Amino acid sequence: MPYDTQPKASHFIDGAYVEDTEGTPIDVIYSATGEKIAQVHAATPAIVEQAIAAAKRAQPEWAAMSGTERGRILRRAADILRERNHDLSVLETYDTGKPYQETSVADATSGADALEYFGGMAATLTGEHIQLGENWVYTRREPLGVCVGIGAWNYPTQIACWKGAPALACGNAMIFKPSETTPLSALKVAEILHEAGLPAGLYNVVQGMGEVGSALVTDPRVDKVSLTGSVPTGRKVYAAAAEGIKHVTMELGGKSPLIVFEDADIENAIGGAILGNFYSSGQVCSNGTRVFVHRDIKEKFLSRLAERLDKAVIGDPMDPDTSFGPMVSERQMQIALDYVEKGKAEGARLAYGGARIDRDGFYMQPTVFADVTDDMVIAREEIFGPVMAVLDFEDEEEVIARANDTEFGLAAGVFTNDLTRAHRVAARFEAGTCYINTYNDAPVEAPFGGSKNSGVGRENSKAAIEHYSQLKSVFVRMDDVEAPF
Ligand code: NDP
């Protein structure tokens, strides 16, 4: 291995790497080759205890610092992330298999944006003064305490920062559990935060499977849980958190619609559909995987889409020219390939791809199904792979009803050159994150999250502050207390 992918130890707790080889071994596999590139151990109960105790101890002092001081550390960490973007991107590519062409612009850089944004915001967090005649109330914006972050495997660095940055800015401590599939990058985030001056105990990383996540979520010392994962896991974690009346943010899955009207700029619409189905080999929660294309332009859309897909550079993810890499794991590839078989069996027309690619690693072709109908499994279930379903439609009213006919509500997009129609459709989408003539942008300045079964709460933007802090109202009386007796 030309790059050192084996971390110093499995966990990062109380400002240092910590190991406990009693924990179940977790092999880290480079999905472009199938090689084992590292091994970590799942956290034992002793490790979980160490992390929670460290976070609980460190948090009050951190909360007592001024927002400016806290923010300075986060912004310094952002600078270090950017300086080391190349190495962090290489590591992220090993961890996930995503092409370096992507990781070098969308992972550590996005994490750095979150640290910079919330670092800048830390000093601006204030309460308000509410005058009531001579008396008044003031509010204090206070941290929640110990927050747990649980991540999915598609954006390990980004998720570690999107949860850590607002939590720390608000004066909380964070314990982050990465997905067992991608345990490497979050350790680097912890290391960099401490190098930037974060006091020990405030950002801890513990490895493990669902049981470790569950042990963290159910501990009474934990005040908040933020999960990025699938809807079934979300249900379990939300229910476990409810037992302790904990705050939650749930960033879950989707089956988002992308509507292309007949007047759309077709090249831009195809560009949006490519970004919304094939970026990160389709392993993006907000993907627009139900592409509704107006009947009049459907065949043109499909033929131009195929021409553009022919230009995908599929290969070694470390090669900067590669634009389409392997799936994260053999298991995830198999799930997506099984859906391809279901699509064929249901009578959808395979318009592009559909097969595993004959090379080492877990590669499958970008895949497009046409003539998909609303009731097909490939139009209803989240695949989380490079499989686009193209559905036909005739008119606006009909397509909006069909777009919204899903348990999910993460994202939705529309391509049209009709200004009023664009906003009318966006207003009617039942989704938390909507796009007009674009798809899958996720800048830190804008709220990101889902409605319906796709989630609760919002990440990024000023809105995230609401989910990592609570308001205390302090009533102050200047005149006498009027009691009935
Ligand atoms: P999973 O739901 O399988 O897992 C998510 C995380 O939860 C993992 O770290 C997992 O651990 C952990 N976990 C599993 N069971 C429990 C439990 N009972 N208690 C606590 N933690 C638990 O999702 P994937 O990792 O497979 O990620 C893919 C999913 O994530 C997709 O559905 C996708 O849509 C969604 N996602 C949503 C995003 C959003 O922002 N809305 C962004 C990215 C992905 P482990 O896997 O190690 O066992």
Side-chain angles (χ1 to χ4, degrees):
M1 197 53 47
Y3 185 91
D4 189 12
T5 41
Q6 176 62 43
K8 287 184 201 136
S10 300
H11 319 286
F12 193 99
I13 300 174
D14 214 1
Y17 276 97
V18 178
E19 189 56 272
D20 182 351
T21 51
E22 291 292 304
T24 311
I26 299 171
D27 288 344
V28 187
I29 306 296
Y30 181 35
S31 65
T33 60
E35 282 173 275
K36 175 174 158 184
I37 54 163
Q39 187 186 63
V40 295
H41 291 268
T44 54
I47 287 287
V48 170
E49 175 56 34
Q50 227 178 306
I52 298 175
K56 188 79 188 159
R57 190 210 67 239
Q59 189 267 330
E61 234 174 275
W62 175 244
M65 281 166 65
S66 74
T68 307
E69 289 170 307
R70 289 199 302 269
R72 194 178 300 137
I73 292 169
L74 301 188
R75 285 184 288 107
R76 212 179 282 144
D79 290 344
I80 302 176
L81 249 86
R82 287 214 178 84
E83 280 159 23
R84 300 198 192 143
N85 184 43
H86 171 72
D87 282 358
L88 293 168
S89 304
V90 169
L91 185 68
E92 186 83 335
T93 292
Y94 277 125
D95 218 3
T96 61
K98 294 191 294 179
Y100 177 83
Q101 191 185 94
E102 288 187 17
T103 55
S104 57
V105 297
D107 291 279
T109 52
S110 165
D113 283 354
L115 288 161
E116 187 170 11
Y117 178 86
F118 289 107
M121 194 171 268
T124 72
L125 304 178
T126 57
E128 63 176 341
H129 169 100
I130 303 155
Q131 194 70 39
L132 298 167
E134 277 187 24
N135 306 316
W136 75 89
V137 178
Y138 64 93
T139 60
R140 292 163 52 92
R141 185 165 289 282
E142 298 189 342
L144 300 173
V146 175
C147 301
V148 162
I150 301 178
W153 39 255
N154 56 348
Y155 282 82
T157 307
Q158 186 188 85
I159 296 171
C161 294
W162 280 21
K163 298 191 190 306
L168 293 171
C170 291
N172 303 286
M174 165 66 65
I175 304 169
F176 187 76
K177 188 201 86 65
S179 164
E180 65 175 289
T181 312
T182 54
L184 304 180
S185 306
L187 291 167
K188 287 286 172 200
V189 172
E191 209 182 297
I192 287 170
L193 277 164
H194 288 82
E195 200 179 321
L198 187 72
L202 292 164
Y203 191 94
N204 309 281
V205 176
V206 298
Q207 307 293 352
M209 291 67 107
E211 304 91 79
V212 172
S214 177
L216 291 166
V217 172
T218 49
D219 192 284
R221 289 165 291 179
V222 168
D223 303 286
K224 159 149 196 153
V225 180
S226 176
L227 169 81
T228 296
S230 61
V231 173
T233 303
R235 274 203 187 91
K236 282 190 228 158
V237 173
Y238 200 172
E243 202 50 46
I245 321 285
K246 298 177 203 281
H247 297 252
V248 294
T249 300
M250 294 281 141
E251 292 293 350
L252 308 177
K255 188 76 192 177
S256 301
L258 173 56
I259 303 176
V260 182
F261 281 97
E262 66 280 16
D263 65 340
D265 178 311
I266 196 147
E267 288 303 321
N268 283 336
I270 291 168
I274 288 173
L275 286 176
N277 282 272
F278 303 119
Y279 201 72
S280 301
S281 296
Q283 304 164 118
V284 180
C285 52
S286 48
N287 271 357
T289 46
R290 288 184 296 141
V291 183
F292 292 91
V293 182
H294 193 277
R295 204 175 287 279
D296 291 353
I297 57 164
K298 179 182 84 171
E299 290 309 328
K300 185 169 170 212
F301 180 94
L302 287 170
S303 64
R304 269 301 289 149
L305 174 63
E307 283 167 17
R308 287 182 58 174
L309 289 176
D310 283 342
K311 298 204 179 94
V313 181
I314 303 176
D316 174 6
M318 291 299 172
D319 181 339
D321 290 333
T322 296
S323 56
F324 186 87
M327 314 238 358
V328 74
S329 63
E330 187 162 19
R331 182 172 165 268
Q332 195 59 31
M333 177 189 69
Q334 204 48 58
I335 291 172
L337 289 170
D338 288 349
Y339 274 108
V340 171
E341 292 310 313
K342 281 180 203 160
K344 286 191 220 162
E346 284 177 310
R349 166 163 60 107
L350 185 60
Y352 196 90
R356 182 172 184 177
I357 296 173
D358 184 19
R359 55 175 292 150
D360 284 346
F362 315 125
Y363 288 81
M364 70 174 276
Q365 295 172 313
T367 298
V368 179
F369 278 106
D371 305 336
V372 177
T373 55
D374 297 339
D375 55 334
M376 289 181 184
V377 172
I378 57 165
R380 306 214 67 80
E381 295 181 8
E382 183 181 47
I383 298 175
F384 225 61
V387 184
M388 179 195 294
V390 176
L391 304 95
D392 308 357
F393 76 94
E394 299 263 5
D395 75 79
E396 183 179 320
E397 205 51 41
E398 164 219 338
V399 76
I400 290 171
R402 291 169 60 200
N404 287 334
D405 181 20
T406 165
E407 61 167 311
F408 301 109
L410 187 51
V414 55
F415 277 83
T416 176
N417 276 327
D418 179 335
L419 186 67
T420 52
R421 174 158 67 187
H423 295 287
R424 195 166 59 229
V425 171
R428 292 185 64 190
F429 276 143
E430 295 170 2
T433 309
C434 295
Y435 302 99
I436 295 174
N437 292 340
T438 182
Y439 205 83
N440 262 354
D441 313 56
V444 68
E445 295 87 347
F448 181 85
S451 58
K452 293 157 81 174
N453 285 355
S454 291
V456 174
R458 292 292 177 266
E459 297 203 288
N460 288 340
S461 80
K462 286 180 277 197
I465 298 298
E466 299 295 330
H467 301 291
Y468 283 99
S469 62
Q470 57 194 334
L471 287 179
K472 177 185 279 174
S473 298
V474 181
F475 290 76
V476 182
R477 184 167 288 280
M478 299 297 284
D479 51 10
D480 294 333
V481 174
E482 272 182 44
F485 50 83

